[in-house]
Amino acid sequence: MRDGMIDGAPLDIVPDDPALRLRPAGPNDEPFIRRLFEEVRTGQFTATGLSGPIVGQIIAQQFRSQAAGYAAQFPGAISLIVTQDAAAIGRLLLHCESEHWHIIDIALLPADCGRGAGTKILDALEASARQQGLGALTLSVLADNSAAHRLYLRRGFAETGQAGAAHIAMKKGLA
């Protein structure tokens, strides 16, 4: 899958909220994706007591590492920008297999969390996957990201074990 396409057909993930949309990410979205990563991660580091330039350096290094890791592990993944009223508020990184779709990463700007956008995106993703005849959605969530973990449990995902040292693997069967 590339550029919002699966086998030449457009990926059709449409939330039921007309203000909320997903569109393929392009080169012009790189600054937003970097800012999104920084906003999500800065809070995590400042909570540990780190501050100043060291946090900026760590976040920049982690952004590069994450991008390289995702590209190596999921070379055919699609990056979608989540918009609300045409303004970018998040990103969905999705790896599509013939039997299931794996949510590699889903992130919203902190100011946009807790307002239902994540639920609507997951619902639209599930509807699209069902329409494609897929058997499951899978993902891994950071073990210490309790808000996301609770969201996935509420949306019907079940824990399937550990995914590395810091993540919990989850799956939602669609059959």
Side-chain angles (χ1 to χ4, degrees):
M1 177 195 300
R2 294 192 181 279
D3 302 323
M5 307 286 279
I6 302 175
D7 298 328
L11 179 62
D12 193 21
I13 302 171
V14 182
D16 65 2
D17 181 343
L20 193 63
R21 290 290 170 249
L22 289 96
R23 63 168 174 77
N28 292 340
D29 292 307
E30 186 67 27
F32 169 74
I33 294 169
R34 183 178 300 274
R35 180 173 67 91
L36 173 65
F37 186 88
E38 289 172 358
E39 286 195 29
V40 169
R41 295 297 169 106
T42 297
Q44 295 169 346
F45 282 106
T46 55
T48 66
L50 291 174
S51 62
I54 190 71
V55 171
Q57 291 170 357
I58 292 170
I59 289 172
Q61 184 275 331
Q62 283 199 340
F63 178 79
R64 289 188 302 272
S65 293
Q66 183 189 69
Y70 286 164
Q73 189 172 359
F74 304 104
I78 181 172
S79 181
L80 301 167
I81 299 298
V82 179
T83 64
Q84 181 135 26
D85 296 321
I89 65 163
R91 179 179 81 151
L92 169 65
L93 191 59
L94 188 63
H95 186 238
C96 300
E97 301 266 340
S98 60
E99 298 295 317
H100 75 280
W101 287 352
H102 182 72
I103 302 166
I104 301 165
D105 191 28
I106 183 168
L108 298 173
L109 291 169
D112 293 291
C113 290
R115 298 181 178 187
T119 297
K120 291 173 184 173
I121 292 165
L122 289 172
D123 288 348
L125 187 58
E126 179 181 342
S128 183
R130 284 183 188 279
Q131 185 177 9
Q132 296 284 331
L134 299 175
L137 293 174
T138 61
L139 58 85
S140 297
V141 62
L142 277 169
D144 65 356
N145 189 344
S146 58
H149 187 242
R150 284 191 309 270
L151 170 65
Y152 299 137
L153 290 171
R154 282 194 314 269
R155 301 313 309 152
F157 284 82
E159 294 182 15
T160 59
Q162 290 296 117
H167 291 82
I168 300 167
M170 302 185 83
K171 179 179 182 177
K172 180 172 187 174
L174 302 177

